[in-house]
Amino acid sequence: MRRNNRVRRRLDQAMVFAGAAVAAGAGTGVKFVDGGAQALMICLLAVGTGLGAYSANSLRARAGGPPPQVLISHPHGDEPWAHWLAWRLRRIGYLTSTRAWPAAGQPVPPPPEIAPDHELVIVSRALADPDHTHDQHRPTWSRGRSVLALVTSHRTPVPTRWAGHEVLDLAGRTADDAAATVDARLHQAGAVPLPDYTAAHVAGEAEPRYPGLGPLVTNLEPRGVHHFTARRTELALLRSVLGKANVAGEGRICAIHGLSGIGKTTLALEYARQYEDLFDVIWMVQAGHAPTARASLIDLARKLQRVRDDRSGAPAPQEETDPEQTLRRLLLNELPRTKSLLIYDGAEDDSAIRELLPDARNGGQVLITSVNPVWQRIAPNRIALEAFTTEEAVDFLRDATGIDDDAGLTRIVERLGRLPLPLEHAAASLRHSPDIDSYLDLLEADSSGAEAWILSFNQVEAKDELAGLLLRLCAFLAPRGIPSYFFEAEADRADLLPASLADGVTDPVRHRRIKETAKSYSLLTGEGQLAMHTRVQAVIRDVMTDSERTVHAADAARLVDGWFPEDPERENTWPRCVELLPHARTVLDHCRELGVADENTAELLQSVGEYFRVQGDRDEAERLLTEALHQREERWGRTHGLVADTLVCISRLKVECAELPEARGFAERALEIRTRLLGDGDLHTLESRLQLGRVLRELGDFPGASEAAEQTLRRLRRRAEVDPVKVAETLCDLGLVRWRQGRLPESVAHHREALHLLENAPGGGDPARRNRSAFVHQALGLAQLDLHDLESAERHLRIALEILRDAGYAEGHPVVLSSSVHLGETLRQRAEKYRGRGGRLGVRERSSPGDRESERLLAEAKRIFDHVLSAPHMNGDHPDRACALVRYSHLLHDQGNSEAAMTEVRNAHRIYTDKYGSQHPYVAEACYRRALIHLGQAQRERATEDLETARAIYLRVHPADHPLILQLEEELRELAVSVVVEEGF
């Protein structure tokens, strides 16, 4: 049909020219003849004019026909490129369609019913697939006018022809350049696009993301792997098992296992490089240490959220600060709907990373590299890497060195073996000196099992001693992601390096030569992030003496400690913490093995432990902080000021774990040390005293907590330079003690004074200052709630939540959850007031507007409690969960669900009793709430028992005129009266 159209178009063009010629001739001849000849000339003039007009009209009609048809055919996996090309070509005037190639073993589909004018064939994946044949889609092209093959990923060398057709290279081009290049080549093939015709086809459509931009989020270096020549079959197998259509519902997870140095990580990185245009996220996780892997995934979640907020145009992107909530959202929600590739490098076994794997049944893919072959439980696909064959090893060396001497290269392979890593280092040496005989002679001089690496290392040290020192330091760091700023003078931390290396990096020329020498033998790779294989690291450490290993391990610890953030509680330090965690863990492991324990290791242990405490990994935090304390006590003695620093950190951790007796012991020790060394008025001493007061408050020792807060406040105000922020924090602590003591007006006054200081002192607009005010608003709301000023309580609690959310706190952060719980309780009490249940006589004066407002408040309170109790922080038996359950039970009781309310309050009572003992005030609160439910069920004896238990507990810690005790006694009197009245009847 299209061929007939082209013939008719050409015939019409000929008829236009013929008609014009006849008309022109007749018009000229009519002037020179007369009679019958003139009449004939007039007839010819009319015929020529009509023929030309008819043919011209025919051409104009055909010009309004459809634009050129372009078919884009592609292998499975190249859909992003096909869809983007189709959209771009439609926008500039082409009709487009896409067609995926059949999978291996499937029949070739019939050609299109209407042959396309042009066909674009995306062949990048076909070039990388050794099993691909051109005949798989040849019937498609046979009826098209032109065929153009497109290469969309970097290839060396770039082919010029494929299956007899021209190849157009789009790799590395911008989106506009790539589209213009394809359009120009189609013009050369005779295509005439019609933009007006296709404009309606793309109106309102968003342009697909250009695949050539690579992933949106990645932590890999932009450059690919060099000399990747001998794992083509395994690479194609990886693509086959991970890229196939997931019809079985299995996870796209593949484990690559084999000996160390066999190329597992290299294969994974090459897969990521070759197929980077298919993914929005490519992320490598150092999986050998579960807490480090967890921190890396949390960092990915935050970066992915920031990118998405930026793309959506959100004015103020917010970051979640609750790590459990962030991690769960990433693994269960974000990655399953994202085209992602996660590489878990160096995993030891499935138990270590099982809980850190995303749902990979949709668009995501997961690669695991490990020396452990047992991955059947979580990886449905597994690839075992074997050593090269001799032919593959020789090919590898030939491509890496350019030496065309198969016999000589075979001798090297026979000497070193067929593992890729030693061959890579042999190739690096041969690139410097391509004399095979000399290289073999040097190998014979060393009888160890790691000759190639030792030879390369010796050559580096002989060439530049400082380059060798740099390699020695890197041997004690994590193998990947070594920050290049460790060794740069521009970072202004050269003092952290050994003196000789520090002098070298301060000279730009010398610094460049050191790094180039270290990299020239492939012992160190990378640019912004350096890398050194674990086996290379082991070989370098093995050639050192014991004393050298001790010195270099201590130097590496000083380097990492100097760069690790000192205050991991500040959110802006978390990316740096995540970056340095693998190096901190690795260098600390080496220091333990070598017996290195100095102030640098102790300080690094404390900083990393504090980071894990902030992130909620309390087990890891306790292990590290306890080790830091042991090291400092061993080095400095039990009464040193640095020991007190660690004691305060452990006390904070113990409070968060609800291990209050231990928290008290650590806080008291820290206070005693600092008081003796620094005096009562030092800020560090005051910090310890305030920490002890917080512990005493949680223990129910309100007089002790009050004394600690009052002493701290007096000494702060006596200082020559009064710090308003410190004073405000202490006022807030004192206000909380007064609240717990039932002295509510005093509590409100302290909190208002604290707010005034934070808002009016210099720097009041600082975000950190504003975040502190959120805690004061929350405490003020609690005091006003107990004063039954419900509107003011609600206002302050909502302000606290607004500040926390504006600061980037997640909905699942413990601080946000705490404010939400108290807001829910406030709304419940407001609903009770609207229902007219505030009196004691049971009279309900109901109005329709009041009922509607009550229902609205109860519904909002229910949503808040449901959200709070579903947060990861509320899993398990943490006291924060018990606090929420106590208040939630009252809401359930108000809604008439007494059985569920009793279940929840019993759970809260059990948690409080297990954590604090049976005589803690929190247990009394649970008993009181349980008594109210018993009253609603007409179980007076049980209600009386719970009320008396609560009163006895409160009398142990409060005076008899405390509001809670007075309220309990009133409940008991009313209960006794009701029993007498009932017995009288």
Side-chain angles (χ1 to χ4, degrees):
M1 181 183 297
R2 290 184 180 274
R3 182 171 297 176
N4 291 337
N5 286 338
R6 290 195 291 270
V7 170
R8 289 175 181 175
R9 186 162 56 246
R10 290 167 182 161
L11 181 60
D12 286 335
Q13 291 172 346
M15 295 287 285
V16 168
F17 289 122
V22 170
T28 303
V30 77
K31 301 177 182 179
F32 302 100
V33 296
D34 54 9
Q38 189 177 41
L40 179 60
M41 289 296 174
I42 292 173
C43 290
L44 288 174
L45 176 62
V47 169
T49 303
L51 181 61
Y54 173 81
S55 300
N57 288 334
S58 179
L59 278 175
R60 281 193 292 271
R62 294 186 190 282
Q69 175 76 29
V70 178
L71 173 65
I72 304 169
S73 62
H74 60 90
H76 176 71
D78 266 324
E79 288 81 3
W81 274 102
H83 294 159
W84 177 81
L85 274 170
W87 190 93
R88 271 298 184 118
L89 292 176
R90 282 201 306 275
R91 192 177 72 172
I92 59 179
Y94 296 88
L95 290 179
T96 60
S97 60
T98 62
R99 182 183 179 92
W101 297 357
Q106 293 184 356
V108 176
E113 181 178 350
I114 299 176
D117 293 312
H118 309 275
E119 181 172 1
L120 303 177
V121 186
I122 303 175
V123 299
S124 298
R125 313 301 175 216
L127 295 175
D129 186 355
D131 298 326
H132 171 75
T133 60
H134 303 148
D135 293 335
Q136 286 179 322
H137 58 281
R138 184 176 295 278
T140 305
W141 336 318
S142 58
R143 295 163 60 187
R145 176 192 296 180
S146 67
V147 176
L148 184 64
L150 304 180
V151 174
T152 57
S153 61
H154 293 280
R155 303 204 61 81
T156 304
V158 178
T160 57
R161 307 289 293 178
W162 182 79
H165 298 282
E166 179 186 354
V167 171
L168 191 61
D169 184 15
L170 301 184
R173 298 178 185 267
T174 64
D176 291 338
D177 186 23
T181 301
V182 174
D183 182 37
R185 184 61 188 81
L186 291 174
H187 271 288
Q188 293 177 10
V192 181
L194 300 176
D196 293 339
Y197 186 97
T198 59
H201 292 240
V202 294
E205 289 186 13
E207 179 176 0
R209 182 173 176 272
Y210 178 49
L213 294 175
L216 288 170
V217 180
T218 183
N219 62 349
L220 299 185
E221 287 285 298
R223 298 202 318 177
V225 180
H226 298 293
H227 313 308
F228 191 88
T229 58
R231 295 291 189 194
R232 294 296 177 189
T233 302
E234 289 84 352
L235 188 63
L237 180 59
L238 261 183
R239 179 59 189 161
S240 173
V241 299
L242 291 179
K244 63 186 178 184
N246 192 20
V247 296
E250 296 179 337
R252 289 190 176 97
I253 304 177
C254 182
I256 307 172
H257 58 87
L259 297 174
S260 179
I262 206 164
K264 302 180 294 296
T265 303
T266 300
L267 177 61
L269 290 175
E270 181 66 12
Y271 178 80
R273 182 187 73 84
Q274 288 216 6
Y275 298 102
E276 65 180 2
D277 52 349
L278 304 185
F279 299 104
D280 292 331
V281 174
I282 299 178
W283 197 262
M284 174 170 277
V285 179
Q286 299 301 323
H289 183 237
T292 303
R294 178 177 175 275
S296 177
L297 290 170
I298 292 172
D299 187 41
L300 165 62
R302 291 172 176 142
K303 289 183 177 178
L304 182 59
Q305 185 61 45
R306 284 198 295 271
V307 168
R308 285 184 170 162
D309 288 338
D310 291 343
R311 295 184 72 198
S312 64
Q318 297 184 6
E319 292 186 7
E320 292 185 348
T321 55
D322 173 42
E324 291 298 332
Q325 185 87 348
T326 302
L327 184 60
R328 189 171 76 159
R329 177 178 58 80
L330 174 76
L331 299 179
L332 299 183
N333 299 330
E334 293 291 339
L335 291 178
R337 58 187 179 92
T338 303
K339 292 178 289 186
S340 61
L341 171 63
L342 265 62
I343 303 173
Y344 291 79
D345 190 39
E348 295 180 357
D349 55 60
D350 56 3
S351 63
I353 63 170
R354 180 188 295 273
E355 296 181 355
L356 301 178
L357 292 176
D359 184 347
R361 289 176 295 180
N362 297 318
Q365 300 179 16
V366 172
L367 269 178
I368 301 169
T369 69
S370 176
V371 296
N372 183 2
V374 183
W375 292 94
Q376 292 89 337
R377 288 185 292 182
I378 63 174
N381 307 292
R382 294 169 299 283
I383 296 177
L385 288 191
E386 304 291 344
F388 287 160
T389 65
T390 301
E391 292 76 13
E392 289 174 332
V394 170
D395 290 343
F396 177 88
L397 286 176
R398 185 192 310 112
D399 291 339
T401 63
I403 298 175
D404 191 13
D405 181 358
D406 287 1
L409 296 177
T410 301
R411 291 162 58 201
I412 294 177
V413 171
E414 291 172 351
R415 182 65 181 82
L416 294 177
R418 293 176 282 111
L419 290 179
L421 187 59
L423 295 177
E424 172 65 26
H425 293 286
S429 294
L430 290 171
R431 284 196 293 269
H432 286 275
S433 178
D435 188 337
I436 293 177
D437 291 331
S438 298
Y439 182 75
L440 288 171
D441 290 341
L442 290 172
L443 289 179
E444 292 299 331
D446 194 317
S447 59
S448 69
E451 299 95 335
W453 301 310
I454 294 176
L455 181 57
S456 296
F457 178 64
N458 290 337
Q459 289 172 330
V460 168
E461 284 207 312
K463 193 171 182 179
D464 192 322
E465 183 180 355
L466 293 184
L469 180 55
L470 187 149
L471 294 176
R472 287 171 181 261
L473 275 178
C474 291
F476 291 92
L477 302 175
R480 302 195 65 82
I482 303 172
S484 61
Y485 57 73
F486 274 4
F487 313 106
E488 293 176 355
E490 291 82 357
D492 199 27
R493 300 302 303 274
D495 58 303
L496 298 174
L497 296 169
S500 57
L501 186 57
D503 293 340
V505 300
T506 54
D507 180 359
V509 177
R510 186 82 175 90
H511 174 227
R512 185 170 59 254
R513 188 164 63 247
I514 291 171
K515 293 184 71 172
E516 289 175 353
T517 304
K519 295 179 182 180
S520 61
Y521 288 84
S522 294
L523 295 171
L524 194 67
T525 60
E527 292 298 331
Q529 291 185 335
L530 308 176
M532 178 184 287
H533 196 278
T534 53
R535 291 197 66 180
V536 176
Q537 290 179 313
V539 167
I540 293 176
R541 292 193 301 269
D542 287 343
V543 301
M544 302 180 198
T545 64
D546 290 343
S547 60
E548 286 177 331
R549 281 195 289 271
T550 300
V551 169
H552 293 311
D555 288 342
R558 181 175 67 253
L559 179 64
V560 178
D561 176 49
W563 282 101
F564 203 92
E566 295 179 359
D567 185 9
E569 288 195 351
R570 299 203 328 263
E571 298 165 24
N572 60 352
T573 67
W574 292 354
R576 175 63 59 82
C577 291
V578 171
E579 180 185 20
L580 298 183
L581 272 179
H583 305 293
R585 180 184 66 85
T586 302
V587 74
L588 288 171
D589 287 344
H590 288 304
C591 288
R592 292 187 192 100
E593 181 182 350
L594 295 169
V596 176
D598 57 18
E599 181 49 35
N600 292 313
T601 60
E603 187 175 55
L604 183 57
L605 284 166
Q606 178 172 308
S607 298
V608 177
E610 278 286 272
Y611 172 78
F612 280 118
R613 179 185 68 81
V614 172
Q615 296 298 317
D617 192 342
R618 291 166 180 154
D619 292 338
E620 186 72 6
E622 182 173 6
R623 183 182 70 82
L624 294 167
L625 291 173
T626 303
E627 186 178 359
L629 178 63
H630 176 73
Q631 287 193 10
R632 282 181 162 168
E633 288 179 338
E634 287 289 321
R635 182 175 179 82
W636 304 109
R638 293 175 54 84
T639 59
H640 195 275
L642 292 173
V643 173
D645 295 346
T646 310
L647 289 171
V648 171
C649 294
I650 298 179
S651 179
R652 293 191 190 116
L653 175 66
K654 292 296 183 180
V655 170
E656 293 176 5
C657 296
E659 298 174 4
L660 300 180
E662 295 90 338
R664 178 175 184 169
F666 288 117
E668 287 176 341
R669 275 190 62 195
L671 178 59
E672 179 185 355
I673 294 170
R674 286 177 167 175
T675 301
R676 180 177 54 81
L677 295 177
L678 306 173
D680 286 337
D682 185 82
L683 285 176
H684 291 87
T685 305
L686 298 179
E687 177 194 31
S688 295
R689 190 178 301 281
L690 201 59
Q691 173 61 24
L692 177 59
R694 291 164 181 162
V695 177
L696 294 176
R697 186 182 73 228
E698 291 300 309
L699 282 168
D701 184 358
F702 303 121
S706 176
E707 181 182 1
E710 288 174 343
Q711 287 186 20
T712 303
L713 185 60
R714 284 197 300 271
R715 288 184 168 88
L716 283 172
R717 285 174 166 166
R718 288 175 189 165
R719 293 180 62 85
E721 296 183 3
V722 178
D723 185 344
V725 176
K726 293 288 185 184
V727 173
E729 289 179 353
T730 309
L731 281 168
C732 185
D733 272 43
L734 183 58
L736 285 171
V737 175
R738 295 289 181 261
W739 167 62
R740 297 293 300 274
Q741 290 178 318
R743 298 158 63 174
L744 301 178
E746 292 180 51
S747 175
V748 170
H750 288 316
H751 291 315
R752 285 178 173 164
E753 184 180 356
L755 276 179
H756 178 78
L757 286 173
L758 290 174
E759 293 171 355
N760 295 283
D766 180 66
R769 183 81 57 83
R770 180 170 166 78
N771 295 348
R772 289 188 178 95
S773 70
F775 299 96
V776 184
H777 278 290
Q778 177 182 326
L780 181 55
L782 292 177
Q784 290 175 326
L785 176 61
D786 284 357
L787 281 169
H788 304 292
D789 185 355
L790 302 182
E791 288 75 13
S792 295
E794 180 182 355
R795 183 177 71 256
H796 283 289
L797 289 170
R798 290 191 186 277
I799 290 173
L801 286 170
E802 180 184 358
I803 293 172
L804 292 171
R805 287 164 181 157
D806 288 345
Y809 282 75
E811 294 296 328
H813 192 280
V815 176
V816 176
L817 294 176
S818 176
S819 294
S820 299
V821 166
H822 298 303
L823 176 61
E825 173 67 8
T826 304
L827 295 176
R828 184 197 69 78
Q829 291 191 26
R830 285 194 62 202
E832 186 178 52
K833 182 178 178 181
Y834 272 103
R835 289 200 308 272
R837 292 179 57 184
R840 295 288 178 182
L841 301 178
V843 179
R844 297 184 60 182
E845 300 175 0
R846 301 186 57 167
S847 64
S848 180
D851 287 343
R852 287 196 296 269
E853 180 65 11
S854 173
E855 291 173 0
R856 183 191 69 79
L857 292 169
L858 282 177
E860 184 179 358
K862 180 70 164 54
R863 285 195 302 271
I864 290 173
F865 281 115
D866 287 343
H867 171 74
V868 166
L869 291 170
S870 66
H873 175 68
M874 292 295 178
N875 294 335
D877 289 342
H878 195 278
D880 287 352
R881 176 175 174 81
C883 176
L885 289 176
V886 165
R887 287 148 182 78
Y888 184 49
S889 66
H890 210 145
L891 175 67
L892 292 173
H893 179 59
D894 286 351
Q895 292 180 328
N897 194 349
S898 297
E899 291 184 4
M902 183 60 71
T903 299
E904 301 297 7
V905 78
R906 283 173 176 164
N907 287 334
H909 184 276
R910 175 184 56 79
I911 293 171
Y912 279 146
T913 303
D914 291 345
K915 290 293 184 182
Y916 300 123
S918 61
Q919 300 300 308
H920 195 277
Y922 289 159
V923 177
E925 182 184 10
C927 288
Y928 174 62
R929 299 282 179 151
R930 189 168 63 184
L932 296 180
I933 299 174
H934 284 314
L935 282 175
Q937 296 174 334
Q939 297 178 357
R940 293 187 177 87
E941 291 183 3
R942 293 184 177 180
T944 301
E945 181 181 350
D946 279 336
L947 289 172
E948 290 177 345
T949 300
R951 182 179 62 178
I953 294 173
Y954 280 139
L955 283 171
R956 293 179 68 253
V957 296
H958 295 310
D961 61 348
H962 191 281
L964 290 175
I965 296 176
L966 297 177
Q967 183 177 357
L968 286 168
E969 290 177 345
E970 183 180 356
E971 295 279 0
L972 284 168
R973 283 195 300 271
E974 290 188 1
L975 186 57
V977 169
S978 66
V979 170
V980 171
V981 171
E982 184 175 331
E983 289 177 352
F985 284 100

